[in-house]
Amino acid sequence: MNPIEIVRLSHDQIPGYVESQVASGRDRATVIKEIAALRNDVVLLSVHDDKETFKAKVAAASGKI
């Protein structure tokens, strides 16, 4: 799938796309990072983020919606 097609996926289609890529041998984290890089409505949160970084990411995501 090219970047334009990824951007056009609905939120409901993203999990299926990720699983299809994993089934074809791609790394799940890499696929998810690629999606987040292409879309402004997908934000990656990490359990390793400190409290302020987490809050900043949530605030930034809220502004994008």
Side-chain angles (χ1 to χ4, degrees):
M1 195 173 274
N2 68 46
I4 293 171
E5 292 171 320
I6 292 171
V7 170
R8 291 183 178 161
L9 288 173
S10 72
H11 286 120
D12 292 338
Q13 293 173 313
I14 292 173
Y17 172 73
V18 172
E19 292 308 314
S20 71
Q21 294 299 298
V22 170
S24 69
R26 295 197 60 209
D27 175 65
R28 182 183 313 276
T30 301
V31 174
I32 293 171
K33 287 177 186 177
E34 288 173 358
I35 293 169
L38 290 169
R39 297 177 61 120
N40 65 359
D41 61 343
V42 174
V43 176
L44 295 179
L45 301 175
S46 172
V47 295
H48 300 291
D49 290 341
D50 63 35
K51 186 176 180 179
E52 294 307 312
T53 302
F54 182 86
K55 284 182 177 180
K57 285 182 177 181
V58 170
S62 297
K64 293 179 183 179
I65 296 173

